[in-house]
Amino acid sequence: MAQAAPKRSEDVAKASSGFHGSFCWNELMTRDIEGSKRFYRETIGWSFEPMKMEWGTYWLAKSGDKTVGGLFELKGPDFDGVPESWMSYLAVDDVDKRVAKAVKAGAKLMKPIFDVPGVGRIAILMQPGGASVGWMTPKPN
């Protein structure tokens, strides 16, 4: 299992590599991981692989051997009131500089910018109109 995790991070990095301004990743935030996996397995044909994180398990959605997205469980008090939804991520050239511009333009940073080893540097924003979006500087392949 210890060797599988780096491969999964590489799969996510490859799947989420995008050019500046392009959508590069999609993630379902759900309170029912098993029900969501069952739904997408039965309707779309996806399979799922666990990726162990320090906070729990992140589920990679796969279409054949291609990683196409992820599932994140909304669990704990930090997510009270957060609706189940799909979160889209935009690739940006420098997440720290872009977030500074976004905040000046009226966006709200929802949590501190963070790094996902093997994947990239990520920010979760609420744009001025209220829509949520993730911005990611993908780790170079």
Side-chain angles (χ1 to χ4, degrees), residues 49-106:
E49 289 184 12
M51 187 167 95
K52 294 293 180 193
M53 306 295 283
E54 62 185 47
W55 47 262
T57 302
Y58 187 85
W59 290 92
L60 300 177
K62 303 199 71 142
S63 181
D65 62 353
K66 183 175 169 45
T67 303
V68 296
L71 278 72
F72 173 80
E73 187 171 15
L74 293 171
K75 178 168 73 173
D78 288 346
F79 299 104
D80 287 350
V82 174
E84 290 196 24
S85 62
W86 278 95
M87 171 70 80
S88 295
Y89 290 81
L90 288 168
V92 296
D93 52 5
D94 184 325
V95 77
D96 294 275
K97 286 182 183 177
R98 297 292 173 172
V99 165
K101 286 182 175 187
V103 169
K104 267 187 164 179

Side-chain angles (χ1 to χ4, degrees), residues 9 12-13 16-18 20 24-25 53 88-100 109 111-125 133-140:
S9 291
V12 174
S16 64
S17 63
H20 175 77
C24 65
W25 189 248
M53 306 295 283
S88 295
Y89 290 81
L90 288 168
V92 296
D93 52 5
D94 184 325
V95 77
D96 294 275
K97 286 182 183 177
R98 297 292 173 172
V99 165
L109 186 62
K111 62 188 274 185
I113 298 170
F114 59 98
D115 295 293
V116 176
V119 175
R121 189 155 172 77
I122 298 173
I124 307 298
L125 297 165
V133 65
W135 286 3
M136 177 190 318
T137 301
K139 177 184 174 276

Side-chain angles (χ1 to χ4, degrees), residues 3-14:
Q3 290 182 335
K7 168 77 170 94
R8 289 190 189 111
S9 291
E10 290 168 17
D11 287 347
V12 174
K14 188 187 305 178

